[in-house]
Amino acid sequence: MTGLASPDPLKFAFSAKTSAHASRGGMRPLALDDAGWQAWWQQPSQAQERALYIHIPFCRKRCSFCNFFENGANPARMSRYMAALCDNLHWAAESPLAQSKAFSAVYVGGGTPTDMAADDLARLAEAIRRFPLARDAEITLEGRLNGFDDEKWQTALEGGFNRFSFGVQSFDTQVRQQAARFDDRETLLARLGELTRDDAAVIVADLIFGLPGQDDAVWRQDIADVMASGVHGVDLYQLIAMAGTNLERAEAKGKLGWSADGQQRASMYAYGAQTLEQGGWQRLSSSHWRRGDAEQSRYNQMAKRGAEILPFGAGAGGSVHGHGLMYGRDLAAWHEALAAGVRAPGMVMGANPNARIDGLLRGALDTGWLALTRLPAPLLAHLMPLFLSWQQHGLAELKDERLELTLAGRFWNVNLQAGLFEFLQLNPLGGEPAPTARTGHPAAAVRHSLV
């Protein structure tokens, strides 16, 4: 939890990053019958900030690194799903829960939402507008550039989408082919240039470092390409070895080929972060940078802070009245439940009594710094030994009533969060119950599907 003492903490403070997110665990599943579920929708929200997460669990192709693949993007199957989903959104939008407070962000994720037909995209946009949205609400559509033609682009803009997050992963044609990605470098750059030319909406690109065949030279070109592409924001994600991926199967067969090890990936992160910031890009989180004020990354920050996120769709996750919620992925069961007017199968978790402080800690560490004055004095004193260990190991600095993560600390940010929650588990403050620390989050909304 403290990291290892090392002359090079960027490369050696921890052995590996094994999860994309960290949060405090210990919340038990809640037995909630359909009557109780319906009653929840009649109760006004008490949340300070709110968002919607809408899940589109379809992809035309499974990428080599992905273990999120759920359903093939059969057009008829997708349209049937979108019809049911929009009916569900219409019902929910009229509820006292939805109408009680405005939503400041909407995120349509997946899967690959841009694979839906233009007509279904227009239908979805209309359903979203039935909710009380803040005047400056951030409305994001996630997806890939391939197949996102001018008709879909104009439909999305006319429907109110003002932010688009595209999974690029790498611009290098050979790396992309090995990762089972569509399109080559020139096609991607040309399309990004078209979409960013008139600044009609915020465009964000995701990059992954550590892909097979992506050496330092390729990564340097990826960073140069994304900075020159016209996008307003960029995410840098480390490749995490996950069970059930085609990469795992290729490695088991000895067919994976060369890929960067953990120390090389640390250097790649450092190069990307430093090059972006030297080029005038502002860091909003440990993995996200923007080149101007238009990009807010509001939904992602809200999710980290523990905002209320109403989820919709098979496989969607979020929270309702402080309770974590994850719907099951089975499409047949989801359709059957919606047709019957009952809650779709899934897991509801008990409320986290520490949700406010957990959201504060997780959100602050994700941005790379924590104002120590925001912590209650007893909690600050309780956590100070951990913070001092981070400082001793080159992962953070304590100064001016701030805990500020170093470059190494930002690279190992999720490990630090997991360690903090483990510390609170092993050393509960006062009469606080000791939860079971875990990595991961019940909300699929929090994760980025690397589409």
Side-chain angles (χ1 to χ4, degrees), residues 196 199 201-204 230-234 281 289-292 294-295:
T196 59
D199 283 332
V202 169
I203 307 293
V204 176
V231 299
H232 304 84
V234 58
W281 291 58
W289 288 261
R290 67 177 182 180
R291 67 172 173 88
E295 161 61 341

Side-chain angles (χ1 to χ4, degrees), residues 6 22 29 32 41 55 70 75 103 122 129 138 169 178 221 228 231 239 245 261 297 352 435-436:
S6 164
L32 183 69
W41 288 90
H55 194 56
E70 297 173 61
F103 295 86
R129 293 196 302 271
E138 174 192 275
Q169 320 319 356
Q178 188 169 352
Q221 187 62 54
V231 299
L239 178 69
T245 65
D261 60 19
S297 192
N352 178 7
T436 301

Side-chain angles (χ1 to χ4, degrees), residues 81 104 110 153 182 194 200 205 222 232 291 306 323 397 400 420:
Y81 176 86
S104 53
W153 168 245
F182 293 109
E194 292 169 356
D222 279 337
H232 304 84
R291 67 172 173 88
H323 296 269
E397 295 180 355
D400 301 327
L420 185 149

Side-chain angles (χ1 to χ4, degrees), residues 8 17 21 39 64 83 136 148 160 185 187 215 230 239 261 288 305 320 380 440:
D8 191 346
K17 177 183 177 182
H21 308 286
S64 65
D136 63 343
F148 190 62
R185 174 176 177 269
T187 300
D215 59 18
L239 178 69
D261 60 19
H288 187 77
R305 292 195 299 262
V320 181
L380 176 58

Side-chain angles (χ1 to χ4, degrees), residues 300-311:
N300 293 320
Q301 294 184 50
M302 290 172 62
K304 297 287 174 54
R305 292 195 299 262
E308 180 173 75
I309 298 175
L310 303 190

Side-chain angles (χ1 to χ4, degrees), residues 27 30 40 45-47 97 306-310 318-325 348-356 442:
M27 303 323 122
L30 178 70
W40 272 9
S45 173
Q46 301 301 314
L97 171 62
E308 180 173 75
I309 298 175
L310 303 190
S319 59
V320 181
H321 293 306
H323 296 269
L325 173 64
V348 180
M349 306 303 293
N352 178 7
N354 305 296
R356 187 190 67 81

